[in-house]
Amino acid sequence: MAANFAPAARVTDTRFDAAAHVQQGYDLIRQGKQAQAVKLFDKVIADADQRLSGDLRPRLCRDGGAGTAGSVDVDPALCEAHFGKGFALIDLGRGDLAEAELRQASQMAPGNAHFANEYAELFKSRRDWQGSYDLFAKAWAVVDKSTTGKDARIAARALRGMGFTKAAMGQYDEAEKFYDQSLQYDPKSEIARVELSNISRRKLIGS
């Protein structure tokens, strides 16, 4: 017998402007007021938790369109709140707390390559090269592959991330391929050119 799944639902509440709170939170981050930003992001998260109390279905952030059976379709601002909170916590030196927020944002918005890239950077800072590579690869898998599209720089960053982690693991030939490919998306990237030069030097001296 086929399993019964509850249809996806979209949860909205005009009494609380989540998007405005998120924007204010990002503005505070730019002003260097990360602790205040965290409080605003927490309000968005708490509002969603209250409205979804008792609903154990996975939460997915979408901008309209068809939902997924068995999930609850929530305001994209909720994903941004988790992401923004994680970003602010890293600036506050609380990467231990930031990880859960970045993971939540990435899981609720699996098609958001920017979220995956930032999550990968956290693992890179810990020198967890394989974990970081896997997340950069996830970003590359979902990003728009057009070299002239609006996400070209996000694609380039994912490729550079894969290149950096491969180089850190001593896999220089693969690293070079990723950096070369990244230049198709961001031809002016000085980072990619410097890293390619570093890889060439390492290969020459055998390190």
Side-chain angles (χ1 to χ4, degrees), residues 113-188:
H114 175 55
F115 287 175
N117 273 339
E118 290 294 343
Y119 192 16
E121 288 290 347
L122 179 62
F123 282 81
K124 190 172 82 172
S125 71
R126 297 172 176 172
R127 303 175 68 83
D128 181 347
W129 307 128
Q130 188 61 54
S132 181
Y133 173 83
D134 290 344
L135 286 165
F136 280 124
K138 176 186 175 183
W140 170 245
V142 301
V143 77
D144 178 7
K145 302 298 192 298
S146 171
T147 56
T148 58
K150 62 182 180 63
D151 290 337
R153 287 186 177 275
I154 296 176
R157 185 180 181 190
L159 288 163
R160 288 197 301 267
M162 287 190 285
F164 186 92
T165 52
K166 283 294 185 181
M169 291 186 284
Q171 299 171 27
Y172 298 129
D173 289 342
E174 289 186 63
E176 283 181 321
K177 291 177 182 178
F178 285 130
Y179 276 118
D180 284 336
Q181 190 176 3
S182 77
L183 288 169
Q184 298 176 26
Y185 291 86
D186 187 6
K188 297 181 180 180

Side-chain angles (χ1 to χ4, degrees), residues 46-104:
D47 176 73
D49 286 343
Q50 182 179 13
R51 288 182 292 110
L52 293 168
S53 178
D55 191 333
L56 301 180
R57 291 174 295 172
R59 302 176 185 182
L60 292 177
C61 296
R62 302 180 186 280
D63 288 307
T68 301
S71 68
V72 56
D73 195 4
V74 298
D75 191 332
L78 178 59
C79 282
E80 292 286 353
H82 281 291
F83 176 77
K85 182 180 178 181
F87 198 89
L89 285 169
I90 290 175
D91 285 348
L92 291 169
R94 295 307 307 268
D96 55 327
L97 299 178
E99 181 176 353
E101 303 299 331
L102 296 176
R103 180 174 62 248
Q104 185 80 342

